[in-house]
Amino acid sequence: MLQILYRDDLLIAIHKPSNLLVHRTELDRHETRFAIQMLRDQIGRRVYPVHRLDKGTSGALLFALDKDAGRELSLQFERQQVYKRYLAVVRGHPDDAGHIDHPLSRRPDDLEWIGEKVETAPQPAVTDYRTLARVELPIMVERYPTSRYSLLELEPQTGRKHQLRRHLKHIAHPIIGDSTHGKGRHNRMFADQLGCRRMLLACVEMRLTHPITGQPLLLNCPLESNFSALLARLGWTDAARDAGIELTI
């Protein structure tokens, strides 16, 4: 059963768990569970996705219950009119705050992977971040006797595919649990010694304009229990709560 964060006659927002695809994809043909189908079955009606979250990312995921509303919401995302806030655990100790302005080449979507030609020239991509907490663990992962990690608040100003994951890799602070852009040794340490086997990235807040009423709409999403438990183990519960993050204990 998917957790519903918000619902009215035209919109529905859910808490997507980590390791769940939004919809069927050619790149994960073996998967049989998809958020879009699970939600349709749960509420007994068709839903229209208006944006995406990566399979490993948890958090707020918005659908429309009407084609016209879906079209308007998709335009808000395309025009970068939707505010999104994420939480991530990364390797190392970044600055207290930072502005990442690094163009990203376009990544083909599922239809493009199967034959359609794609323009892959770099597109503008901007992410702001703030460091909420840091820790140094007495665990040797690479050549140093200790390992450093940080809790970041991320605000993407653009919406490129895998933007946050690629931007954090670009500044040499990859997200823990990211098997594509991260560091395998650190991912394995979190799995083996901290019991965390997921990508530590979650969408915790979205702000947008309701497509019919024109009123601002705020969507808050609590962290999953496995993410919350990891923060508690690292001593970061208070830092997350001070940033307005709701935990699931």
Side-chain angles (χ1 to χ4, degrees), residues 3 15 87 132 151 202 204 220-233 235-249:
Q3 180 185 356
H15 181 179
L87 203 68
L132 302 179
L151 180 66
V204 295
N220 285 311
C221 186
L223 287 183
E224 270 191 289
S225 58
N226 50 16
F227 203 147
S228 298
L230 186 278
L231 296 193
R233 187 158 187 181
W236 290 345
T237 296
D238 288 344
R241 285 178 171 152
D242 288 346
I245 309 299
E246 182 181 346
L247 307 179
T248 302
I249 304 300

Side-chain angles (χ1 to χ4, degrees), residues 93 134-139 144-150 234 236:
H93 286 176
R134 298 182 178 91
V135 71
E136 186 164 353
L137 301 179
I139 301 172
Y144 302 107
T146 61
S147 300
R148 294 178 172 184
Y149 303 98
S150 298
L234 295 178
W236 290 345

